[in-house]
Amino acid sequence: MKIHEYQARELLQAYGVPVPPGQVARSGREAAVIAGEIGLPVVIKAQVLVGGRGKAGGVRIARTAREAREAAEQILALTIKDIPVEAVLVAGAVDILKEYYLGATVDRATKKVVCIVSAAGGVDIEELAVKEPEKILKHYIDPLRGPDDGELREFLSAAFAKELLDQAAEALGNLYRLLIEKDCSLVEINPYAQIGDGTLIAADAKINFDDNGLPKHPDVEALRSAEEYSPEEIEAREAGLSFVSLDGDIGCIVNGAGLAMATMDLIKLFGGRPANFLDVGGSSSPRKVLTALRILTRNQSLKAILINIFGGITRCDDIAKGILIAREQIDLPVPLVIRLIGTNEKEGRALLEQAGLEAASEMTGAVRKVLERAKVGR
Ligand code: GDP
Ligand code: MN
């Protein structure tokens, strides 16, 4: 999960990393009021969950309240990488002497947290990594011991002057603590700015979270913004379905993540492309099937749907009921192929047969059939 800069900077501050004063605004007038409160000049920044806002015109310095209002209004009218800007951060502008990059992320290959620093901050770090990788320095932390101040200072001394080391090491130690305690997958400050009076301050903040850690952190979960997921993904989550959109055209409704993966594999094996991953979970109520079908059928590229159920805790008759309710409530625009075995299979099949629907009992055949039906079309 991603959060906005205005939220990330609050977390940084709570972990002892200095940030300029600032507040979020949703209108030009609000921005001008905040600018008056924190003191001019201010920097007005688009709050969207993508990077490169600077280049897109989403970061502007304002020297008067009037400029703050105008800049905010202009930024609020922008769409950056397809995302309409709905809020801006109004923060105290700082005089930047030098821009550094400071971050920490989880490195899956080494199974360690890697700290990343560069004296060439401010710019796009991904671009820097390609063009001038030697300017990016990395240090891996022993997960059992955690970092000690000495090792962080030694690592950072390659990028920071001696008089800045105390601050930088303290900040990096705090980033590490934040990353571990809140189950972040990335904590990044770019630019980590050296300002006029010789202090280092976070002039931008980006924090991503490991979704699997979110149940442990309701305070973090509360920061989730609607922009984070597609409307389909939000609806699916609320209905208790795990759903991931993919770019194929065969819709899949399956119970259990393992069977869902196997189903997608078989579709691929036979030359098809799944439109989604969808796991209706263990105890499936008819309503879940209805919601799943409703979500799937919104996809304009869909050519056919496969419902693949291996009933254990999931009861086949519940699934059948869901299918029948869905047929009444939604106009299914594409062919539907059903495979149903396991708990209450007989009852489930009987329900479907009464409605003139048949269900396969074997998976490979069902996958072949849905691909054929998809070819024939709607
Ligand atoms: P990003 O482009 O989305 O990463 O947005 P940033 O918040 O990093 O802003 C882009 C650039 O704007 C920074 O690299 C800085 O050069 C500049 N900038 C941001 N805040 C300030 C500020 O307070 N003062 C000055 N002088 N420049 C700033
Ligand atoms: Mn930045």
Side-chain angles (χ1 to χ4, degrees):
M1 184 180 95
K2 294 177 180 171
I3 58 172
H4 288 291
E5 177 191 5
Y6 76 90
Q7 302 167 313
R9 64 203 298 286
E10 278 180 22
L11 265 174
L12 284 183
Q13 195 168 28
Y15 275 80
V17 179
V19 298
Q23 250 179 289
V24 68
R26 292 174 202 280
S27 71
R29 252 185 46 196
E30 222 184 315
V33 172
I34 295 169
E37 281 167 13
I38 61 181
L40 292 153
V42 289
V43 55
I44 314 274
K45 302 166 85 178
Q47 297 298 288
V48 283
L49 297 175
V50 291
R53 298 165 302 167
K55 281 185 195 158
V59 177
R60 296 183 39 184
I61 300 222
R63 290 174 207 292
T64 64
R66 187 201 169 105
E67 268 178 39
R69 197 191 68 219
E70 286 170 1
E73 278 166 0
Q74 283 162 15
I75 292 174
L76 285 165
L78 291 177
T79 296
I80 300 178
K81 296 182 185 163
D82 290 335
I83 305 174
V85 180
E86 280 169 3
V88 291
L89 168 70
V90 183
V94 285
D95 252 336
I96 302 182
L97 294 183
K98 187 168 165 58
E99 297 187 319
Y100 296 88
Y101 174 100
L102 191 67
T105 187
V106 179
D107 180 63
R108 285 172 180 268
T110 55
K111 303 177 189 138
K112 287 177 178 166
V113 169
V114 56
C115 298
I116 304 168
V117 65
S118 176
V123 297
D124 186 343
I125 191 78
E126 283 83 7
E127 204 179 304
L128 189 65
V130 174
K131 289 189 181 152
E132 297 175 282
E134 72 284 356
K135 291 197 175 160
I136 298 177
L137 310 173
K138 295 181 180 174
H139 175 68
Y140 296 83
I141 305 293
D142 181 330
L144 297 179
R145 276 194 314 115
D148 68 50
D149 192 53
E151 79 178 275
L152 292 184
R153 289 174 68 95
E154 195 189 319
F155 164 57
L156 291 165
S157 64
F160 290 91
K162 217 170 168 189
E163 62 272 19
L164 297 175
L165 273 183
D166 286 345
Q167 295 176 62
E170 191 184 344
L172 186 54
N174 288 334
L175 286 195
Y176 180 85
R177 201 160 51 85
L178 166 60
L179 183 136
I180 297 292
E181 287 180 9
K182 298 291 181 187
D183 289 305
C184 309
S185 54
L186 172 76
V187 180
E188 180 182 278
I189 306 175
N190 187 27
Y192 185 44
Q194 181 186 353
I195 58 174
D197 63 359
T199 53
L200 289 164
I201 194 163
D204 188 11
K206 177 173 170 182
I207 301 179
N208 296 347
F209 297 90
D210 177 349
D211 287 10
N212 296 311
L214 288 175
K216 287 177 5 200
H217 308 292
D219 55 329
V220 173
E221 179 65 55
L223 302 177
R224 181 190 297 280
S225 61
E227 188 192 309
E228 166 77 11
Y229 293 106
S230 67
E232 283 76 19
E233 283 167 333
I234 291 171
E235 191 180 346
R237 179 183 282 266
E238 281 167 2
L241 306 167
S242 30
F243 175 77
V244 181
S245 310
L246 300 168
D247 55 9
D249 50 23
I250 309 292
C252 306
I253 297 178
V254 188
N255 71 310
L259 186 62
M261 302 285 271
T263 306
M264 298 194 315
D265 280 351
L266 262 191
I267 290 173
K268 281 272 202 186
L269 184 68
F270 293 137
R273 296 195 318 143
N276 66 280
F277 168 100
L278 193 154
D279 173 10
V280 291
S283 63
S284 56
S285 68
R287 182 142 296 276
K288 277 191 180 176
V289 180
L290 172 64
T291 310
L293 279 166
R294 187 170 278 147
I295 291 170
L296 255 58
T297 51
R298 276 198 220 116
N299 179 349
Q300 294 298 315
S301 20
L302 200 69
K303 293 211 178 110
I305 297 172
L306 172 63
I307 298 185
N308 183 13
I309 303 297
F310 188 105
I313 300 169
T314 305
R315 295 163 28 155
C316 291
D317 54 336
D318 281 341
I319 298 287
K321 277 179 206 153
I323 296 171
L324 298 181
I325 296 169
R327 282 227 310 176
E328 273 171 29
Q329 298 197 5
I330 25 186
D331 186 19
L332 282 187
V334 296
L336 174 67
V337 173
I338 305 163
R339 182 261 186 149
L340 212 55
I341 60 163
T343 311
N344 289 7
E345 177 180 340
K346 229 199 247 161
E347 292 82 347
R349 281 178 188 283
L351 284 169
L352 292 178
E353 270 160 28
Q354 281 163 26
L357 291 173
E358 56 169 349
S361 54
E362 193 264 331
M363 172 161 160
T364 310
V367 171
R368 282 187 193 278
K369 188 167 164 194
V370 78
L371 293 178
E372 271 161 35
R373 300 290 298 274
K375 256 187 231 152
V376 177
R378 302 188 174 211

